Amino acid sequence: MSKINFKPGNMLYPLPAVMVSCGDIAQEANILTVAWTGTICTNPPMVYISVRPERYSYAMIRETGEFVINLTTKKLARATDFCGVRSGRDLDKWNECHLTKIPADTVRCPMIAESPVNIECQVTINELGSHHMFLAKVTAVHVDDAYIDEKGTFHLNDTGLLAYSHGTYHELAKAMGNFGYSVRKTHRKKQKRKKR
């Protein structure tokens, strides 16, 4: 096997494809699709999104210092793509995609009712280059009770989550193992050897 030195760029995939709602639920609110997002810290809980300054939503986020990350699913795939390629300057994405605004608890911008998880965020800004990074403190998380079992466990992986990889959307479906499975598997092999 040989390697080809490819041009420098962003080849870190797959990424979550999320819809970010911003603005003010009582006035103007918009949705943009973001794949450049992730976890920063557990305690305090923090996330980030990176947005180009020329995007319509950028000014709303910068002005309010708030946004909501709405996780996407197979059912939301068309809306996810649409909100990434069309501008809120030209049309109302909420109406076009038949998405429902619901109020958040700690921020003024709306949450998307159809999303299984909504993460309310308050932000600071790092101006990096082509994109500016909004570092955000998570102030609340909402989950769809349809995915909570009788024991109160939330089954996120049953929602049909979307991922984005090199220009293509993918549904996350096949599990390869739970966190720590490699250690447990090795541990079991060692125990079997000892019993022999």
Side-chain angles (χ1 to χ4, degrees):
M1 181 191 312
S2 62
K3 294 280 188 178
I4 296 172
N5 190 338
F6 213 58
K7 64 180 181 180
N10 299 314
M11 194 61 78
L12 183 61
Y13 293 108
L15 300 163
V18 301
M19 289 190 285
V20 174
S21 47
C22 57
D24 190 323
I25 192 169
Q27 297 174 23
E28 184 180 11
N30 193 42
I31 306 166
L32 75 155
T33 299
V34 172
W36 291 5
T37 182
T39 297
I40 297 171
C41 185
T42 301
N43 189 18
M46 293 186 71
V47 293
Y48 78 91
I49 61 171
S50 290
V51 181
R52 290 181 184 270
E54 56 268 24
R55 295 288 297 267
Y56 181 62
S57 296
Y58 175 88
M60 288 183 190
I61 297 170
R62 184 147 192 156
E63 183 179 320
T64 64
E66 302 174 338
F67 62 84
V68 177
I69 294 176
N70 304 275
L71 299 191
T72 58
T73 63
K74 180 180 180 180
K75 290 180 183 176
L76 291 170
R78 184 188 176 281
T80 302
D81 185 64
F82 187 90
C83 290
V85 297
R86 297 298 300 270
S87 175
R89 287 185 186 94
D90 306 323
L91 47 80
D92 183 337
K93 296 181 190 180
W94 297 91
N95 288 334
E96 290 288 329
C97 296
H98 309 289
L99 296 172
T100 310
K101 295 177 189 174
I102 56 174
D105 289 343
T106 64
V107 297
R108 289 168 293 172
C109 45
M111 302 187 300
I112 298 173
E114 292 77 8
S115 170
V117 177
N118 317 92
I119 304 168
E120 298 180 36
C121 301
Q122 294 175 343
V123 307
T124 59
I125 301 163
N126 282 339
E127 298 182 6
L128 301 176
S130 66
H131 291 67
H132 292 180
M133 179 184 286
F134 292 95
L135 303 176
K137 182 173 81 170
V138 175
T139 55
V141 175
H142 303 263
V143 299
D144 189 332
D145 63 6
Y147 300 99
I148 297 179
D149 66 22
E150 62 282 351
K151 295 178 182 176
T153 303
F154 179 58
H155 296 274
L156 177 61
N157 293 329
D158 292 344
T159 64
L161 290 172
L162 279 189
Y164 180 79
S165 183
H166 210 217
T168 307
Y169 301 100
H170 298 271
E171 179 186 6
L172 299 180
K174 185 178 178 182
M176 304 297 291
N178 293 338
F179 177 75
Y181 84 98
S182 60
V183 177
R184 287 191 298 274
K185 191 173 181 180
T186 304
H187 183 66
R188 283 192 210 117
K189 284 181 182 177
K190 286 179 182 176
Q191 285 181 333
K192 285 179 183 177
R193 286 181 195 148
K194 285 179 183 177
K195 288 177 182 177
R196 290 179 191 167

